[in-house]
Amino acid sequence: MNQVLVVAEHSGGKLNLAIAKCVSCAAAVPDAEVVVLVLAADGSAVAAQAAAITGVKRVLLAEHPASEPALAAVLAPQVAKLAADASHVFGPSTTFGKDLMPRVAALLDAQQISDVMAVETANRFRRPCYAGNAIATVEVDAGCRVVATVRVASWQAAGSGGSAPIERISVDTPLPTHTRFVSVSAGRSDRPDLQTAARVVSGGRALGSADNFALIQRFADRIGAAVGASRAAVDAGYAPNELQVGQTGKIIAPELYIAVGISGAIQHLTGIKDARTIVAINKDPEAPIFEVADLGLVGDLFKLVPEIESQL
Amino acid sequence: MRKVLVGIKRVIDYNVRVRVRPDGSGVVTDGVKMSINPFDEIALEEALRIRERGAADEVIAASIGPDDAQQQLRTALAMGADRAILVRADGAIPSMIAARALHALVEREQPLFVILGKQAIDDDSGQTGQLLAGLWDRPQATFASKIELEGNSARVTREVDAGLEVIEVDLPAVFTTDLRLNEPRYVKLPDIMKAKKKPLDVTDLAALGVTAAAQLRVVRLDPPAQRQKGVVVKDAAELVAALRQKGLLQ
């Protein structure tokens, strides 16, 4: 039996959608017993959501006022303590998981595999490197504990309808006070979340200005999509950084991805290649984005986008 | 003396189109341009600016890598680092080995803080800073887009999925850099000449008491699966019709 401990990411009493994808990855480990760990100030609601994910065997709920808002330095010693029986400790490849999991690995003296996209055996995994230009098969010595972040774009969310038992536990470990949360400023929240949206519309450098970028936002709102941006558009100041899609931004896998005025630099393509359907709108027929697009439309985006909207 | 330790990794230049060797043993490196990992360059720039503001006294650039990594350390010295340390190690270096080597340097140098890139653009693991902070039992502020030192602590703005998060950490601490922290300076020719006279110490993992044996191996590299090239439609109406047919639009 391999006990796979999945560390839950949550905010405002809601379990992050990435966790159901982590559960799919955890369940792919041979002979896995999937246990979700919820660390929270008040975590009953989050634990109940985790318990409903298909494939989850148990939910561990450890409540402590210091656990929210989440700080890696405060969570890591608790995860490490509770991982005593786990052969694998997984977290999502979000900024939460990327920050936390290596610190857990350090405390456990374990090897971490980042961005797991496939599980081959209990100790052999596949992950992207070189901005997605290569896929590495990596192996950890048998018997060594594996810490991993799960590349959420590579996994389908596990279903719901389960009813795993929730165990309340207390963690007896000193928590540091050297790291303190000050604030978080979130972007506009009435649009779907970029990381988990079924539809995404992204704008690139061809938009030409922050004012023109409103065209992308309007189109996205029209079809109920999240808004993304290429690195060029973010660097030029047309869109905030949290909208950046690509190897150095967010890696996403929506059902529908519409790239508007994006040429398709390799680092951008890496972030979208798991999208089900890619649509590209660009005036340059030679743009690399057309090499990966399922549907391409060549022309002036300022004319074409309103035309598309008028047909909806 | 208030020291800053900067992690510098030698990687394939970000403009090079990386290709997997046909036998899957690695990527093609013959005749390929090598550079400082761009995120580490941002880390070095930040350390230099902090020293120039008078909030630190010495910037030490450290690399764990092959002898050739001395080239990147010379570039770091030309940018303005005061001295450099190469910890010699061959082949792919797992993040945990790099973190242990940096931890050994931290014990020796006792820096005010350590700063390095949020990830290296070759293996993209994004672990070394957090591993170091965990081994050292000190705070970490990852994905930093703004760092303000205030006495014995630092206020750091972090680029997280939700937007921008601000945390406060006691020093010493580990910072990892995101793209928007700063724009690194260009190296000028006189600085390259001056850098040749700056100290560059060479040591190795064994001398630092770090065992090179890893419990993690890369078995094989494969090129990524290619997407099928799709079709080009003639106008907006045809695009909307195609998306409706796929059930992607109402």
Side-chain angles (χ1 to χ4, degrees):
Chain A
M1 182 68 73
N2 288 303
Q3 191 196 91
V4 188
L5 192 66
V6 175
V7 183
E9 175 176 0
H10 58 89
S11 160
K14 281 217 169 98
L15 185 69
N16 191 300
L17 293 168
I19 299 307
K21 299 186 172 193
C22 288
V23 168
S24 291
C25 179
V29 174
D31 205 15
E33 180 195 44
V34 181
V35 178
V36 176
L37 170 61
V38 177
L39 299 169
D42 174 5
S44 307
V46 173
Q49 292 158 47
I53 299 173
T54 307
V56 174
K57 186 86 177 184
R58 276 186 298 145
V59 176
L60 300 179
L61 171 59
E63 293 183 322
H64 192 292
S67 293
E68 274 181 79
L71 292 166
V74 173
L75 300 188
Q78 302 182 68
V79 177
K81 184 97 179 184
L82 294 167
D85 297 329
S87 56
H88 299 70
V89 188
F90 286 5
S93 207
T94 56
T95 52
F96 165 86
K98 288 176 180 175
D99 188 36
L100 172 64
M101 300 312 288
R103 193 170 178 114
V104 171
L107 300 184
L108 291 171
D109 194 19
Q111 304 300 314
Q112 178 175 306
I113 318 272
S114 299
D115 301 316
V116 169
M117 54 192 290
V119 176
E120 295 206 333
T121 69
N123 61 336
R124 196 188 258 239
F125 307 87
R126 282 161 69 80
R127 61 174 298 271
C129 53
Y130 293 97
N133 286 303
I135 307 300
T137 303
V138 294
E139 192 172 74
V140 177
D141 285 351
C144 285
R145 193 183 272 125
V146 174
V147 174
T149 57
V150 174
R151 185 176 187 272
V152 286
S154 298
W155 299 88
Q156 297 284 328
S160 59
S163 57
I166 298 169
E167 288 172 34
R168 283 179 182 271
I169 46 170
S170 58
V171 198
D172 179 25
T173 187
L175 301 180
T177 54
H178 55 47
T179 305
R180 298 170 290 277
F181 175 83
V182 177
S183 64
V184 66
S185 56
R188 207 182 126 176
S189 60
D190 50 351
R191 281 204 185 95
D193 173 50
L194 176 58
Q195 195 99 54
T196 50
R199 296 171 181 174
V200 174
V201 179
S202 282
R205 201 203 309 261
L207 268 300
S209 72
D211 287 344
N212 288 348
F213 202 82
L215 179 87
I216 298 298
Q217 290 155 345
R218 197 183 63 205
F219 181 34
D221 287 346
R222 187 72 198 273
I223 63 167
V227 172
S230 70
R231 179 166 164 196
V234 170
D235 283 349
Y238 305 164
N241 181 55
E242 65 262 26
L243 299 189
Q244 189 189 318
V245 172
Q247 178 68 13
T248 53
K250 292 193 170 68
I251 293 170
I252 58 175
E255 293 292 312
L256 173 63
Y257 185 76
I258 304 181
V260 181
I262 292 177
S263 62
I266 183 74
Q267 82 94 17
H268 185 77
L269 301 183
T270 302
I272 61 167
K273 64 186 170 59
D274 291 321
R276 190 69 59 84
T277 298
I278 296 175
V279 174
I281 300 170
N282 201 299
K283 69 174 189 305
D284 174 13
E286 303 298 320
I289 190 79
F290 289 116
E291 295 296 315
V292 301
D294 301 282
L295 292 164
L297 184 53
V298 179
D300 177 12
L301 71 93
F302 295 105
K303 182 171 149 285
L304 292 172
V305 171
E307 273 180 28
I308 293 166
E309 285 183 68
S310 71
Q311 314 243 346
L312 298 175
Chain B
M1 181 137 76
R2 296 164 302 173
K3 300 176 185 177
V4 179
L5 186 65
V6 184
I8 299 286
K9 187 174 187 185
R10 171 185 166 91
V11 298
I12 292 177
D13 188 83
Y14 75 100
N15 281 315
V16 172
R17 192 170 175 100
V18 172
R19 287 178 203 287
V20 176
R21 284 194 209 120
D23 66 358
S25 64
V27 297
V28 176
T29 52
D30 299 339
V32 162
K33 186 185 176 198
M34 305 296 285
S35 297
I36 296 178
N37 174 40
F39 291 103
D40 294 340
E41 203 176 9
I42 292 169
L44 175 58
E45 176 65 34
E46 194 65 15
L48 297 175
R49 289 183 190 187
I50 288 169
R51 187 194 63 195
E52 285 159 1
R53 285 202 296 268
D57 304 304
E58 186 182 46
V59 173
I60 307 162
S63 190
I64 298 105
D67 270 325
D68 286 343
Q70 290 190 40
Q71 295 161 12
Q72 281 65 45
L73 288 173
R74 285 291 168 204
T75 304
L77 292 168
M79 275 180 72
D82 297 290
R83 61 189 168 95
I85 304 168
L86 171 64
V87 180
R88 250 195 354 235
D90 289 317
I93 298 141
S95 308
M96 186 63 108
I97 304 284
R100 287 202 185 110
L102 287 172
H103 189 211
L105 293 179
V106 160
E107 305 264 271
R108 196 169 85 187
E109 302 287 349
Q110 301 287 321
L112 183 65
F113 62 89
V114 179
I115 186 166
L116 65 168
K118 72 167 182 178
Q119 72 193 74
I121 62 164
D122 50 2
D123 89 344
D124 286 329
S125 283
Q127 302 176 14
T128 306
Q130 298 90 307
L131 287 169
L132 170 62
L135 295 172
W136 190 14
D137 196 17
R138 291 303 307 169
Q140 66 190 43
T142 52
F143 327 134
S145 62
K146 191 174 179 189
I147 299 173
E148 301 160 280
L149 299 185
E150 297 163 351
N152 292 324
S153 65
R155 185 174 271 251
V156 180
T157 304
R158 306 178 56 230
E159 299 202 345
V160 296
D161 290 336
L164 296 175
E165 182 189 82
V166 180
I167 61 171
E168 191 180 72
V169 297
D170 293 338
L171 299 176
V174 178
F175 305 134
T176 77
T177 60
D178 218 317
L179 285 173
R180 258 147 297 277
L181 183 59
N182 61 50
E183 273 188 46
R185 66 196 64 190
Y186 288 102
V187 174
K188 298 188 210 73
L189 189 61
D191 297 326
I192 296 172
M193 303 310 288
K194 254 191 286 180
K196 290 181 178 161
K197 298 200 185 73
K198 289 183 178 177
L200 194 167
D201 294 330
V202 180
T203 181
D204 58 30
L205 291 174
L208 295 177
V210 177
T211 37
Q215 299 157 312
L216 178 73
R217 284 167 308 286
V218 175
V219 179
R220 192 177 72 242
L221 285 188
D222 294 302
Q226 298 297 318
R227 281 183 80 98
Q228 292 280 330
K229 194 175 172 173
V231 295
V232 172
V233 293
K234 70 175 191 324
D235 57 21
E238 200 176 311
L239 177 64
V240 171
L243 289 173
R244 286 205 174 111
Q245 202 195 348
K246 284 171 177 269
L248 291 166
L249 280 183
Q250 271 84 50

